[in-house]
Structures are given as C-alpha cells and as structure tokens.
Amino acid sequence: NAGVTQTPKFQVLKTGQSMTLQCAQDMNHEYMSWYRQDPGMGLRLIHYSVGAGITDQGEVPNGYNVSRSTTEDFPLRLLSAAPSQTSVYFCASSYGTGGTRELFFGEGSRLTVL
Amino acid sequence: AQSVAQPEDQVNVAEGNPLTVKCTYSVSGNPYLFWYVQYPNRGLQFLLKYITGDNLVKGSYGFEAEFNKSQTSFHLKKPSALVSDSALYFCAVRPFSNDYKLSFGAGTTVTVRA
C-alpha cells in the first residue's frame, strides 16, 4: 500500500516555464488537495477536489490549475512559474468528504523557481 | 474566516520532562481540531483530533490534547518527552460549517535534548 505518492521530489524551473506536479493515491480516497508550505506560514490550501470531475479553489489558487479525471490522480499545474512559487508542495487525501476526516500526506515536492 | 495561532516558534525540553505545544483558534461555530507532526524531509502525519465529546483527546505516540472552548485552545501535551519527538508540529482547524477547508498554524519546532 503506497499511500499518497508525489513526483517529482525536487524540481528547478526558470521563470515562465510550466510544469506539472503529480499526485496519486491508492486508498480510494474521495477528497484530495494540494498545499504549499512556506517558512513561518504553515500550510496553505491551493486547490481541492471532492471527487472525480469536481475541483474548487483554496486560499492561494492564483497561478495554479488542477483537474481530477480519476479518483486516484490529482495533478497540479504551474502555468507560468514565478519565483514566488518557490515552495514545498504537499498533496493530501482523506476518506470521504466529511470534515472529521484526517488527511494523509505525500512526502512533498520541493520546487525552486529561478 | 477561521485561523490558528501557535504562539511559540520553538519549544525546547529535556528528555523525560513534560512537553506542551500551544495552539489557539478562531472559528465561527463549533471547530474540528487536529494536530499533525512533520519529521525532517517528510510529509505530515496525523497525531490526533477533537470532534466532539470528551475534552481530553488521546492520540499516537503517547500524545494527548485538551480542548478548552472558553479559552479557544487545543494544546498538545506529552507527559515525558523523548528525543525522537523532535519535529515540527502543526495545529489545524476546520469549522463545522465547512467540510473542506482545513487551516493550519505556522508550526512549532520541538527540540528534545538528551
């Protein structure tokens, strides 16, 4: 049981480049989400999904796109990378969509934008 | 909007001594409260949660937390700290009225010295 798998673990981009961070879970979780972690700011929600075909914005969605074509996968796309998007990105999922559910996190993807 | 405050950036304790990590929150209505731990270069792991009922919640690795509605606090505690408890700890809150948006505090770095 792999849990939540994120790729790549590390990535360096130049300003203006685009890329996709991949997230896959094998627990049949309905809810999936992307967070970014910045020093002194905790984790901030970028986008989330409550099932295949359904996505919504979190606190800091600008500059990012998501899609959810299957239950397992929830990729995060950076359309035109900016230095402000240098961060550690975490994908997280949970059983169902109820507010009482705890999140299962991936290992993170560290992105540097030059 | 909901928010979480962790007033201490760092907590340092000696092994065997009690450990407390503080958390206060602000939400409209009843809160769902969570604690997560992050070890170096890893994703977050769930420790415990308060949903309803008994104000004292027990979780993984000997941790517990006390929900105090009048003080809007949810402090994490461990009676006897171990060196292996050294990590980054996050408090998080989700309002009863919103199933999807979990807000995290900035995190508290715990160092347990031998």
PDB file of all heavy atoms in Angstrom, chain A residues 31 35 37 40 42-43 48 50 57 90 97 99-103 105-107, chain B residues 32 34 36 38 42-44 46 49 51 90 94 99-100 102 104-106:
ATOM      1  N   TYR A  31     -11.560  12.642  -1.312  1.00  0.00           N
ATOM      2  CA  TYR A  31     -11.055  14.002  -1.160  1.00  0.00           C
ATOM      3  C   TYR A  31      -9.555  14.048  -1.408  1.00  0.00           C
ATOM      4  O   TYR A  31      -8.798  13.237  -0.850  1.00  0.00           O
ATOM      5  CB  TYR A  31     -11.357  14.504   0.258  1.00  0.00           C
ATOM      6  CG  TYR A  31     -10.837  15.891   0.551  1.00  0.00           C
ATOM      7  CD1 TYR A  31     -11.586  17.014   0.231  1.00  0.00           C
ATOM      8  CD2 TYR A  31      -9.606  16.082   1.157  1.00  0.00           C
ATOM      9  CE1 TYR A  31     -11.116  18.293   0.509  1.00  0.00           C
ATOM     10  CE2 TYR A  31      -9.129  17.350   1.434  1.00  0.00           C
ATOM     11  CZ  TYR A  31      -9.892  18.450   1.105  1.00  0.00           C
ATOM     12  OH  TYR A  31      -9.422  19.714   1.376  1.00  0.00           O
ATOM     13  N   TYR A  35      -1.420  21.565  -0.968  1.00  0.00           N
ATOM     14  CA  TYR A  35      -0.993  22.627  -0.070  1.00  0.00           C
ATOM     15  C   TYR A  35       0.418  23.062  -0.464  1.00  0.00           C
ATOM     16  O   TYR A  35       1.201  22.285  -0.999  1.00  0.00           O
ATOM     17  CB  TYR A  35      -0.932  22.135   1.377  1.00  0.00           C
ATOM     18  CG  TYR A  35      -2.272  21.968   2.058  1.00  0.00           C
ATOM     19  CD1 TYR A  35      -3.010  20.796   1.923  1.00  0.00           C
ATOM     20  CD2 TYR A  35      -2.792  22.986   2.853  1.00  0.00           C
ATOM     21  CE1 TYR A  35      -4.226  20.648   2.560  1.00  0.00           C
ATOM     22  CE2 TYR A  35      -4.014  22.841   3.488  1.00  0.00           C
ATOM     23  CZ  TYR A  35      -4.713  21.672   3.338  1.00  0.00           C
ATOM     24  OH  TYR A  35      -5.930  21.523   3.969  1.00  0.00           O
ATOM     25  N   GLN A  37       3.860  24.794   1.489  1.00  0.00           N
ATOM     26  CA  GLN A  37       4.424  25.052   2.805  1.00  0.00           C
ATOM     27  C   GLN A  37       5.556  26.049   2.672  1.00  0.00           C
ATOM     28  O   GLN A  37       6.540  25.792   1.973  1.00  0.00           O
ATOM     29  CB  GLN A  37       4.945  23.758   3.448  1.00  0.00           C
ATOM     30  CG  GLN A  37       5.510  23.969   4.849  1.00  0.00           C
ATOM     31  CD  GLN A  37       6.041  22.689   5.459  1.00  0.00           C
ATOM     32  OE1 GLN A  37       6.399  21.738   4.767  1.00  0.00           O
ATOM     33  NE2 GLN A  37       6.078  22.641   6.780  1.00  0.00           N
ATOM     34  N   GLY A  40       7.389  29.767   8.334  1.00  0.00           N
ATOM     35  CA  GLY A  40       6.662  30.730   9.156  1.00  0.00           C
ATOM     36  C   GLY A  40       5.214  30.941   8.771  1.00  0.00           C
ATOM     37  O   GLY A  40       4.518  31.746   9.393  1.00  0.00           O
ATOM     38  N   GLY A  42       3.118  28.082   7.787  1.00  0.00           N
ATOM     39  CA  GLY A  42       2.361  26.839   7.831  1.00  0.00           C
ATOM     40  C   GLY A  42       2.020  26.341   6.448  1.00  0.00           C
ATOM     41  O   GLY A  42       2.752  26.592   5.480  1.00  0.00           O
ATOM     42  N   LEU A  43       0.916  25.646   6.341  1.00  0.00           N
ATOM     43  CA  LEU A  43       0.452  25.120   5.062  1.00  0.00           C
ATOM     44  C   LEU A  43      -0.760  25.916   4.598  1.00  0.00           C
ATOM     45  O   LEU A  43      -1.665  26.200   5.380  1.00  0.00           O
ATOM     46  CB  LEU A  43       0.054  23.638   5.195  1.00  0.00           C
ATOM     47  CG  LEU A  43       1.191  22.633   5.155  1.00  0.00           C
ATOM     48  CD1 LEU A  43       1.958  22.623   6.456  1.00  0.00           C
ATOM     49  CD2 LEU A  43       0.657  21.250   4.839  1.00  0.00           C
ATOM     50  N   TYR A  48      -8.572  21.963  -4.098  1.00  0.00           N
ATOM     51  CA  TYR A  48      -9.012  20.694  -3.574  1.00  0.00           C
ATOM     52  C   TYR A  48     -10.077  20.081  -4.480  1.00  0.00           C
ATOM     53  O   TYR A  48     -10.628  20.769  -5.353  1.00  0.00           O
ATOM     54  CB  TYR A  48      -9.522  20.819  -2.138  1.00  0.00           C
ATOM     55  CG  TYR A  48     -10.774  21.645  -1.975  1.00  0.00           C
ATOM     56  CD1 TYR A  48     -12.040  21.048  -1.974  1.00  0.00           C
ATOM     57  CD2 TYR A  48     -10.702  23.025  -1.803  1.00  0.00           C
ATOM     58  CE1 TYR A  48     -13.179  21.802  -1.817  1.00  0.00           C
ATOM     59  CE2 TYR A  48     -11.844  23.783  -1.640  1.00  0.00           C
ATOM     60  CZ  TYR A  48     -13.077  23.170  -1.636  1.00  0.00           C
ATOM     61  OH  TYR A  48     -14.214  23.927  -1.483  1.00  0.00           O
ATOM     62  N   VAL A  50     -13.377  17.009  -4.344  1.00  0.00           N
ATOM     63  CA  VAL A  50     -14.182  16.091  -3.535  1.00  0.00           C
ATOM     64  C   VAL A  50     -14.603  14.866  -4.328  1.00  0.00           C
ATOM     65  O   VAL A  50     -15.385  14.049  -3.836  1.00  0.00           O
ATOM     66  CB  VAL A  50     -15.407  16.800  -2.934  1.00  0.00           C
ATOM     67  CG1 VAL A  50     -14.942  17.922  -2.017  1.00  0.00           C
ATOM     68  CG2 VAL A  50     -16.346  17.325  -4.005  1.00  0.00           C
ATOM     69  N   GLN A  57     -11.322  26.013  -5.537  1.00  0.00           N
ATOM     70  CA  GLN A  57     -10.160  26.787  -5.122  1.00  0.00           C
ATOM     71  C   GLN A  57     -10.021  26.831  -3.619  1.00  0.00           C
ATOM     72  O   GLN A  57     -11.017  26.840  -2.899  1.00  0.00           O
ATOM     73  CB  GLN A  57     -10.302  28.215  -5.653  1.00  0.00           C
ATOM     74  CG  GLN A  57     -10.286  28.313  -7.166  1.00  0.00           C
ATOM     75  CD  GLN A  57     -10.399  29.751  -7.637  1.00  0.00           C
ATOM     76  OE1 GLN A  57     -10.659  30.654  -6.851  1.00  0.00           O
ATOM     77  NE2 GLN A  57     -10.197  29.972  -8.922  1.00  0.00           N
ATOM     78  N   PHE A  90       2.662  19.907  -0.991  1.00  0.00           N
ATOM     79  CA  PHE A  90       2.169  18.644  -0.444  1.00  0.00           C
ATOM     80  C   PHE A  90       0.800  18.334  -1.012  1.00  0.00           C
ATOM     81  O   PHE A  90      -0.087  19.192  -1.044  1.00  0.00           O
ATOM     82  CB  PHE A  90       2.074  18.695   1.080  1.00  0.00           C
ATOM     83  CG  PHE A  90       3.399  18.667   1.765  1.00  0.00           C
ATOM     84  CD1 PHE A  90       3.991  19.838   2.207  1.00  0.00           C
ATOM     85  CD2 PHE A  90       4.064  17.466   1.962  1.00  0.00           C
ATOM     86  CE1 PHE A  90       5.219  19.819   2.842  1.00  0.00           C
ATOM     87  CE2 PHE A  90       5.292  17.438   2.592  1.00  0.00           C
ATOM     88  CZ  PHE A  90       5.869  18.619   3.026  1.00  0.00           C
ATOM     89  N   THR A  97     -15.703  12.856   2.404  1.00  0.00           N
ATOM     90  CA  THR A  97     -15.547  14.305   2.315  1.00  0.00           C
ATOM     91  C   THR A  97     -16.007  14.995   3.596  1.00  0.00           C
ATOM     92  O   THR A  97     -16.139  16.199   3.637  1.00  0.00           O
ATOM     93  CB  THR A  97     -16.361  14.861   1.143  1.00  0.00           C
ATOM     94  OG1 THR A  97     -17.726  14.463   1.293  1.00  0.00           O
ATOM     95  CG2 THR A  97     -15.837  14.353  -0.190  1.00  0.00           C
ATOM     96  N   GLY A  99     -15.954  16.597   7.326  1.00  0.00           N
ATOM     97  CA  GLY A  99     -14.969  17.452   7.968  1.00  0.00           C
ATOM     98  C   GLY A  99     -14.209  16.807   9.092  1.00  0.00           C
ATOM     99  O   GLY A  99     -13.216  17.345   9.554  1.00  0.00           O
ATOM    100  N   THR A 100     -14.640  15.629   9.555  1.00  0.00           N
ATOM    101  CA  THR A 100     -13.956  14.985  10.671  1.00  0.00           C
ATOM    102  C   THR A 100     -12.781  14.133  10.233  1.00  0.00           C
ATOM    103  O   THR A 100     -12.042  13.625  11.065  1.00  0.00           O
ATOM    104  CB  THR A 100     -14.934  14.088  11.443  1.00  0.00           C
ATOM    105  OG1 THR A 100     -15.398  13.057  10.559  1.00  0.00           O
ATOM    106  CG2 THR A 100     -16.123  14.888  11.951  1.00  0.00           C
ATOM    107  N   ARG A 101     -12.605  13.976   8.944  1.00  0.00           N
ATOM    108  CA  ARG A 101     -11.585  13.049   8.450  1.00  0.00           C
ATOM    109  C   ARG A 101     -10.192  13.638   8.515  1.00  0.00           C
ATOM    110  O   ARG A 101      -9.991  14.797   8.161  1.00  0.00           O
ATOM    111  CB  ARG A 101     -11.885  12.683   6.992  1.00  0.00           C
ATOM    112  CG  ARG A 101     -13.295  12.211   6.740  1.00  0.00           C
ATOM    113  CD  ARG A 101     -13.516  10.827   7.262  1.00  0.00           C
ATOM    114  NE  ARG A 101     -14.812  10.298   6.836  1.00  0.00           N
ATOM    115  CZ  ARG A 101     -15.258   9.085   7.129  1.00  0.00           C
ATOM    116  NH1 ARG A 101     -14.510   8.277   7.849  1.00  0.00           N
ATOM    117  NH2 ARG A 101     -16.424   8.682   6.695  1.00  0.00           N
ATOM    118  N   GLU A 102      -9.190  12.826   8.933  1.00  0.00           N
ATOM    119  CA  GLU A 102      -7.817  13.281   8.926  1.00  0.00           C
ATOM    120  C   GLU A 102      -7.215  13.098   7.535  1.00  0.00           C
ATOM    121  O   GLU A 102      -7.641  12.243   6.759  1.00  0.00           O
ATOM    122  CB  GLU A 102      -6.963  12.534   9.958  1.00  0.00           C
ATOM    123  CG  GLU A 102      -6.889  11.039   9.742  1.00  0.00           C
ATOM    124  CD  GLU A 102      -7.925  10.292  10.544  1.00  0.00           C
ATOM    125  OE1 GLU A 102      -8.992  10.879  10.852  1.00  0.00           O
ATOM    126  OE2 GLU A 102      -7.671   9.110  10.849  1.00  0.00           O
ATOM    127  N   LEU A 103      -6.208  13.914   7.251  1.00  0.00           N
ATOM    128  CA  LEU A 103      -5.553  13.877   5.954  1.00  0.00           C
ATOM    129  C   LEU A 103      -4.351  12.941   5.953  1.00  0.00           C
ATOM    130  O   LEU A 103      -3.651  12.818   6.958  1.00  0.00           O
ATOM    131  CB  LEU A 103      -5.075  15.283   5.565  1.00  0.00           C
ATOM    132  CG  LEU A 103      -6.158  16.317   5.274  1.00  0.00           C
ATOM    133  CD1 LEU A 103      -5.524  17.696   5.086  1.00  0.00           C
ATOM    134  CD2 LEU A 103      -6.952  15.943   4.050  1.00  0.00           C
ATOM    135  N   PHE A 105      -0.826  12.565   3.923  1.00  0.00           N
ATOM    136  CA  PHE A 105       0.034  13.419   3.115  1.00  0.00           C
ATOM    137  C   PHE A 105       1.064  12.614   2.341  1.00  0.00           C
ATOM    138  O   PHE A 105       1.549  11.569   2.797  1.00  0.00           O
ATOM    139  CB  PHE A 105       0.784  14.411   4.011  1.00  0.00           C
ATOM    140  CG  PHE A 105      -0.052  15.560   4.486  1.00  0.00           C
ATOM    141  CD1 PHE A 105      -0.881  15.429   5.585  1.00  0.00           C
ATOM    142  CD2 PHE A 105      -0.010  16.777   3.826  1.00  0.00           C
ATOM    143  CE1 PHE A 105      -1.656  16.488   6.027  1.00  0.00           C
ATOM    144  CE2 PHE A 105      -0.784  17.845   4.258  1.00  0.00           C
ATOM    145  CZ  PHE A 105      -1.608  17.691   5.359  1.00  0.00           C
ATOM    146  N   GLY A 106       1.422  13.154   1.165  1.00  0.00           N
ATOM    147  CA  GLY A 106       2.583  12.670   0.442  1.00  0.00           C
ATOM    148  C   GLY A 106       3.859  13.208   1.065  1.00  0.00           C
ATOM    149  O   GLY A 106       3.826  13.978   2.027  1.00  0.00           O
ATOM    150  N   GLU A 107       4.997  12.810   0.477  1.00  0.00           N
ATOM    151  CA  GLU A 107       6.305  13.181   1.028  1.00  0.00           C
ATOM    152  C   GLU A 107       6.717  14.601   0.636  1.00  0.00           C
ATOM    153  O   GLU A 107       7.685  15.121   1.168  1.00  0.00           O
ATOM    154  CB  GLU A 107       7.374  12.206   0.555  1.00  0.00           C
ATOM    155  CG  GLU A 107       7.143  10.764   0.998  1.00  0.00           C
ATOM    156  CD  GLU A 107       7.724  10.520   2.370  1.00  0.00           C
ATOM    157  OE1 GLU A 107       8.953  10.668   2.519  1.00  0.00           O
ATOM    158  OE2 GLU A 107       6.961  10.190   3.292  1.00  0.00           O
TER     159      GLU A 107
ATOM    160  N   TYR B  32     -13.596  21.650  14.386  1.00  0.00           N
ATOM    161  CA  TYR B  32     -12.903  20.365  14.370  1.00  0.00           C
ATOM    162  C   TYR B  32     -11.419  20.716  14.460  1.00  0.00           C
ATOM    163  O   TYR B  32     -10.921  21.521  13.679  1.00  0.00           O
ATOM    164  CB  TYR B  32     -13.170  19.599  13.082  1.00  0.00           C
ATOM    165  CG  TYR B  32     -14.610  19.207  12.852  1.00  0.00           C
ATOM    166  CD1 TYR B  32     -15.152  19.207  11.574  1.00  0.00           C
ATOM    167  CD2 TYR B  32     -15.434  18.818  13.912  1.00  0.00           C
ATOM    168  CE1 TYR B  32     -16.465  18.839  11.344  1.00  0.00           C
ATOM    169  CE2 TYR B  32     -16.756  18.456  13.697  1.00  0.00           C
ATOM    170  CZ  TYR B  32     -17.266  18.465  12.410  1.00  0.00           C
ATOM    171  OH  TYR B  32     -18.568  18.112  12.188  1.00  0.00           O
ATOM    172  N   PHE B  34      -7.211  19.517  14.912  1.00  0.00           N
ATOM    173  CA  PHE B  34      -6.281  18.452  14.571  1.00  0.00           C
ATOM    174  C   PHE B  34      -4.858  18.846  14.969  1.00  0.00           C
ATOM    175  O   PHE B  34      -4.503  20.026  14.968  1.00  0.00           O
ATOM    176  CB  PHE B  34      -6.285  18.192  13.053  1.00  0.00           C
ATOM    177  CG  PHE B  34      -7.610  17.808  12.473  1.00  0.00           C
ATOM    178  CD1 PHE B  34      -8.572  18.777  12.208  1.00  0.00           C
ATOM    179  CD2 PHE B  34      -7.907  16.483  12.193  1.00  0.00           C
ATOM    180  CE1 PHE B  34      -9.808  18.433  11.664  1.00  0.00           C
ATOM    181  CE2 PHE B  34      -9.134  16.133  11.654  1.00  0.00           C
ATOM    182  CZ  PHE B  34     -10.081  17.104  11.389  1.00  0.00           C
ATOM    183  N   TYR B  36      -0.894  17.619  13.718  1.00  0.00           N
ATOM    184  CA  TYR B  36      -0.063  16.845  12.801  1.00  0.00           C
ATOM    185  C   TYR B  36       1.399  17.053  13.186  1.00  0.00           C
ATOM    186  O   TYR B  36       1.770  18.101  13.725  1.00  0.00           O
ATOM    187  CB  TYR B  36      -0.270  17.304  11.352  1.00  0.00           C
ATOM    188  CG  TYR B  36      -1.593  16.921  10.753  1.00  0.00           C
ATOM    189  CD1 TYR B  36      -2.721  17.712  10.946  1.00  0.00           C
ATOM    190  CD2 TYR B  36      -1.724  15.767   9.987  1.00  0.00           C
ATOM    191  CE1 TYR B  36      -3.947  17.361  10.393  1.00  0.00           C
ATOM    192  CE2 TYR B  36      -2.939  15.414   9.423  1.00  0.00           C
ATOM    193  CZ  TYR B  36      -4.046  16.218   9.629  1.00  0.00           C
ATOM    194  OH  TYR B  36      -5.248  15.864   9.071  1.00  0.00           O
ATOM    195  N   GLN B  38       5.494  16.699  11.617  1.00  0.00           N
ATOM    196  CA  GLN B  38       6.320  16.569  10.414  1.00  0.00           C
ATOM    197  C   GLN B  38       7.755  16.325  10.820  1.00  0.00           C
ATOM    198  O   GLN B  38       8.379  17.192  11.445  1.00  0.00           O
ATOM    199  CB  GLN B  38       6.210  17.817   9.547  1.00  0.00           C
ATOM    200  CG  GLN B  38       6.976  17.709   8.233  1.00  0.00           C
ATOM    201  CD  GLN B  38       6.867  18.969   7.389  1.00  0.00           C
ATOM    202  OE1 GLN B  38       6.735  20.070   7.909  1.00  0.00           O
ATOM    203  NE2 GLN B  38       6.932  18.819   6.079  1.00  0.00           N
ATOM    204  N   ARG B  42       9.953  14.945   5.417  1.00  0.00           N
ATOM    205  CA  ARG B  42       8.830  14.019   5.293  1.00  0.00           C
ATOM    206  C   ARG B  42       7.528  14.788   5.180  1.00  0.00           C
ATOM    207  O   ARG B  42       7.455  15.989   5.446  1.00  0.00           O
ATOM    208  CB  ARG B  42       8.766  13.093   6.518  1.00  0.00           C
ATOM    209  CG  ARG B  42      10.003  12.269   6.774  1.00  0.00           C
ATOM    210  CD  ARG B  42      10.293  11.297   5.648  1.00  0.00           C
ATOM    211  NE  ARG B  42       9.234  10.324   5.461  1.00  0.00           N
ATOM    212  CZ  ARG B  42       9.146   9.192   6.152  1.00  0.00           C
ATOM    213  NH1 ARG B  42      10.029   8.908   7.071  1.00  0.00           N
ATOM    214  NH2 ARG B  42       8.168   8.338   5.913  1.00  0.00           N
ATOM    215  N   GLY B  43       6.466  14.090   4.815  1.00  0.00           N
ATOM    216  CA  GLY B  43       5.138  14.694   4.833  1.00  0.00           C
ATOM    217  C   GLY B  43       4.581  14.737   6.238  1.00  0.00           C
ATOM    218  O   GLY B  43       5.169  14.189   7.170  1.00  0.00           O
ATOM    219  N   LEU B  44       3.445  15.384   6.400  1.00  0.00           N
ATOM    220  CA  LEU B  44       2.812  15.478   7.710  1.00  0.00           C
ATOM    221  C   LEU B  44       2.128  14.160   8.067  1.00  0.00           C
ATOM    222  O   LEU B  44       1.591  13.463   7.197  1.00  0.00           O
ATOM    223  CB  LEU B  44       1.773  16.603   7.733  1.00  0.00           C
ATOM    224  CG  LEU B  44       2.289  18.021   7.905  1.00  0.00           C
ATOM    225  CD1 LEU B  44       3.024  18.512   6.688  1.00  0.00           C
ATOM    226  CD2 LEU B  44       1.129  18.962   8.268  1.00  0.00           C
ATOM    227  N   PHE B  46      -0.743  12.496  10.834  1.00  0.00           N
ATOM    228  CA  PHE B  46      -1.814  12.780  11.772  1.00  0.00           C
ATOM    229  C   PHE B  46      -1.470  12.262  13.169  1.00  0.00           C
ATOM    230  O   PHE B  46      -0.996  11.127  13.325  1.00  0.00           O
ATOM    231  CB  PHE B  46      -3.091  12.122  11.267  1.00  0.00           C
ATOM    232  CG  PHE B  46      -4.227  12.081  12.245  1.00  0.00           C
ATOM    233  CD1 PHE B  46      -4.956  13.223  12.521  1.00  0.00           C
ATOM    234  CD2 PHE B  46      -4.568  10.907  12.892  1.00  0.00           C
ATOM    235  CE1 PHE B  46      -6.006  13.194  13.427  1.00  0.00           C
ATOM    236  CE2 PHE B  46      -5.620  10.863  13.783  1.00  0.00           C
ATOM    237  CZ  PHE B  46      -6.340  12.012  14.054  1.00  0.00           C
ATOM    238  N   LYS B  49      -7.189  14.171  16.947  1.00  0.00           N
ATOM    239  CA  LYS B  49      -8.212  15.148  16.567  1.00  0.00           C
ATOM    240  C   LYS B  49      -9.267  15.261  17.656  1.00  0.00           C
ATOM    241  O   LYS B  49      -9.493  14.307  18.413  1.00  0.00           O
ATOM    242  CB  LYS B  49      -8.863  14.759  15.237  1.00  0.00           C
ATOM    243  CG  LYS B  49      -9.629  13.436  15.275  1.00  0.00           C
ATOM    244  CD  LYS B  49     -10.182  13.088  13.897  1.00  0.00           C
ATOM    245  CE  LYS B  49     -10.881  11.717  13.919  1.00  0.00           C
ATOM    246  NZ  LYS B  49     -11.337  11.314  12.563  1.00  0.00           N
ATOM    247  N   ILE B  51     -13.294  16.141  17.782  1.00  0.00           N
ATOM    248  CA  ILE B  51     -14.511  16.351  17.000  1.00  0.00           C
ATOM    249  C   ILE B  51     -15.648  16.770  17.923  1.00  0.00           C
ATOM    250  O   ILE B  51     -16.302  17.790  17.709  1.00  0.00           O
ATOM    251  CB  ILE B  51     -14.894  15.083  16.212  1.00  0.00           C
ATOM    252  CG1 ILE B  51     -13.706  14.657  15.324  1.00  0.00           C
ATOM    253  CG2 ILE B  51     -16.148  15.307  15.397  1.00  0.00           C
ATOM    254  CD1 ILE B  51     -13.258  15.702  14.337  1.00  0.00           C
ATOM    255  N   PHE B  90       2.129  20.887  13.840  1.00  0.00           N
ATOM    256  CA  PHE B  90       1.139  21.807  13.299  1.00  0.00           C
ATOM    257  C   PHE B  90      -0.226  21.554  13.933  1.00  0.00           C
ATOM    258  O   PHE B  90      -0.690  20.412  14.004  1.00  0.00           O
ATOM    259  CB  PHE B  90       0.984  21.624  11.790  1.00  0.00           C
ATOM    260  CG  PHE B  90       2.157  22.082  10.976  1.00  0.00           C
ATOM    261  CD1 PHE B  90       3.100  21.179  10.532  1.00  0.00           C
ATOM    262  CD2 PHE B  90       2.302  23.420  10.662  1.00  0.00           C
ATOM    263  CE1 PHE B  90       4.186  21.597   9.781  1.00  0.00           C
ATOM    264  CE2 PHE B  90       3.384  23.850   9.908  1.00  0.00           C
ATOM    265  CZ  PHE B  90       4.325  22.938   9.465  1.00  0.00           C
ATOM    266  N   ARG B  94     -10.844  23.199  11.342  1.00  0.00           N
ATOM    267  CA  ARG B  94     -11.840  23.206  10.272  1.00  0.00           C
ATOM    268  C   ARG B  94     -13.178  23.515  10.934  1.00  0.00           C
ATOM    269  O   ARG B  94     -13.556  22.852  11.891  1.00  0.00           O
ATOM    270  CB  ARG B  94     -11.874  21.870   9.566  1.00  0.00           C
ATOM    271  CG  ARG B  94     -12.941  21.739   8.497  1.00  0.00           C
ATOM    272  CD  ARG B  94     -12.991  20.323   7.974  1.00  0.00           C
ATOM    273  NE  ARG B  94     -11.901  20.028   7.067  1.00  0.00           N
ATOM    274  CZ  ARG B  94     -11.218  18.877   7.095  1.00  0.00           C
ATOM    275  NH1 ARG B  94     -11.525  17.954   7.962  1.00  0.00           N
ATOM    276  NH2 ARG B  94     -10.250  18.662   6.231  1.00  0.00           N
ATOM    277  N   ASP B  99     -16.737  21.665   5.263  1.00  0.00           N
ATOM    278  CA  ASP B  99     -16.081  20.364   5.327  1.00  0.00           C
ATOM    279  C   ASP B  99     -14.691  20.340   4.732  1.00  0.00           C
ATOM    280  O   ASP B  99     -13.928  19.430   4.995  1.00  0.00           O
ATOM    281  CB  ASP B  99     -16.917  19.337   4.562  1.00  0.00           C
ATOM    282  CG  ASP B  99     -18.091  18.865   5.385  1.00  0.00           C
ATOM    283  OD1 ASP B  99     -18.146  19.207   6.577  1.00  0.00           O
ATOM    284  OD2 ASP B  99     -18.943  18.168   4.835  1.00  0.00           O
ATOM    285  N   TYR B 100     -14.344  21.300   3.902  1.00  0.00           N
ATOM    286  CA  TYR B 100     -13.216  21.107   3.017  1.00  0.00           C
ATOM    287  C   TYR B 100     -11.983  21.931   3.331  1.00  0.00           C
ATOM    288  O   TYR B 100     -10.894  21.543   2.982  1.00  0.00           O
ATOM    289  CB  TYR B 100     -13.646  21.394   1.572  1.00  0.00           C
ATOM    290  CG  TYR B 100     -14.910  20.663   1.196  1.00  0.00           C
ATOM    291  CD1 TYR B 100     -15.997  21.334   0.673  1.00  0.00           C
ATOM    292  CD2 TYR B 100     -15.008  19.299   1.400  1.00  0.00           C
ATOM    293  CE1 TYR B 100     -17.151  20.661   0.350  1.00  0.00           C
ATOM    294  CE2 TYR B 100     -16.167  18.616   1.081  1.00  0.00           C
ATOM    295  CZ  TYR B 100     -17.235  19.299   0.560  1.00  0.00           C
ATOM    296  OH  TYR B 100     -18.371  18.633   0.246  1.00  0.00           O
ATOM    297  N   LEU B 102      -9.311  23.169   5.574  1.00  0.00           N
ATOM    298  CA  LEU B 102      -8.564  22.994   6.807  1.00  0.00           C
ATOM    299  C   LEU B 102      -7.492  24.069   6.875  1.00  0.00           C
ATOM    300  O   LEU B 102      -6.687  24.200   5.953  1.00  0.00           O
ATOM    301  CB  LEU B 102      -7.939  21.600   6.833  1.00  0.00           C
ATOM    302  CG  LEU B 102      -7.216  21.148   8.088  1.00  0.00           C
ATOM    303  CD1 LEU B 102      -8.184  21.028   9.244  1.00  0.00           C
ATOM    304  CD2 LEU B 102      -6.519  19.823   7.832  1.00  0.00           C
ATOM    305  N   PHE B 104      -4.151  25.685   8.751  1.00  0.00           N
ATOM    306  CA  PHE B 104      -3.029  25.281   9.592  1.00  0.00           C
ATOM    307  C   PHE B 104      -2.394  26.474  10.278  1.00  0.00           C
ATOM    308  O   PHE B 104      -2.360  27.584   9.735  1.00  0.00           O
ATOM    309  CB  PHE B 104      -1.956  24.591   8.741  1.00  0.00           C
ATOM    310  CG  PHE B 104      -2.291  23.200   8.336  1.00  0.00           C
ATOM    311  CD1 PHE B 104      -3.090  22.965   7.220  1.00  0.00           C
ATOM    312  CD2 PHE B 104      -1.820  22.123   9.056  1.00  0.00           C
ATOM    313  CE1 PHE B 104      -3.405  21.671   6.841  1.00  0.00           C
ATOM    314  CE2 PHE B 104      -2.130  20.819   8.678  1.00  0.00           C
ATOM    315  CZ  PHE B 104      -2.923  20.601   7.564  1.00  0.00           C
ATOM    316  N   GLY B 105      -1.844  26.233  11.473  1.00  0.00           N
ATOM    317  CA  GLY B 105      -0.982  27.209  12.108  1.00  0.00           C
ATOM    318  C   GLY B 105       0.389  27.213  11.448  1.00  0.00           C
ATOM    319  O   GLY B 105       0.668  26.413  10.560  1.00  0.00           O
ATOM    320  N   ALA B 106       1.247  28.122  11.907  1.00  0.00           N
ATOM    321  CA  ALA B 106       2.570  28.280  11.302  1.00  0.00           C
ATOM    322  C   ALA B 106       3.545  27.187  11.703  1.00  0.00           C
ATOM    323  O   ALA B 106       4.598  27.039  11.089  1.00  0.00           O
ATOM    324  CB  ALA B 106       3.134  29.648  11.658  1.00  0.00           C
TER     325      ALA B 106
END
